[in-house]
Amino acid sequence: MTLFACISPEQQHQALNDLIQSEVLSLAEKSKHYLYDRIISTLKKFDFDRKIEDRELAEYYYRYYLLTGLIPENLTAEYLNKLVDFILGIELARLIFFMRFVEQQRFFEMQGRYALQVILFYRYIKPIRRKMVKENAVKKDIAGHYYYTKSTLTEDKLLDYIFEVFNLDRIIHLGNLSKVLMFDRDYIYNDIHNDAEEQPSEPPSS
């Protein structure tokens, strides 16, 4: 501690950052298989076809640390389960961000329970739509609507957008919801639907 106190603030910051990064990488390596098993098994129903790289896992740990300030001495089941929901929430938010608005609508409408539709739309889909419009990540079509146009969002902006739109609790809650949400890729992404007859809609707020 005496040596630490003697170095400049910049050096202190770098030393702490190096220590945190080292701890984050160690945690990611120790818990990798536990997280992969639970995350991938849940995401399978969303036709998840992307491998989560080790560097991404470490990035999720680091983001979780930034939001909680917590690097545990022991990897408890409670901590890991929260982290699983955190990662699931980010991955599901990623999925919704890349959906066209009409696909988002099909997604929330196919949920079996009305209460689940309302939560999914007002807590998650609507804020995502606002962010996409604000950042010009989706353009209006000839008719002046955003409904059918594809997102121009890039991966390098995505994580930042997710953390700008949602706080930690919202992300974890979405991850928890992912275990009960219904998903049908053929229905959601099928352009054979008669889109001309589909009208933008949202569930009543109450």
Side-chain angles (χ1 to χ4, degrees), residues 8 13-14 30-32 34 58 113 115 136 163 176 189 194:
S8 68
H13 176 78
Q14 185 60 50
K30 288 177 182 176
S31 60
K32 179 168 60 177
Y34 180 95
R113 289 184 289 134
N136 291 317
F163 289 108
N176 193 263
Y189 294 105
N194 189 352

Side-chain angles (χ1 to χ4, degrees), residues 40-51:
I40 299 303
S41 64
T42 300
L43 291 176
K44 274 183 180 177
K45 69 177 179 180
F46 299 101
D47 287 336
F48 186 78
D49 58 1
R50 188 176 64 82
K51 184 180 185 298

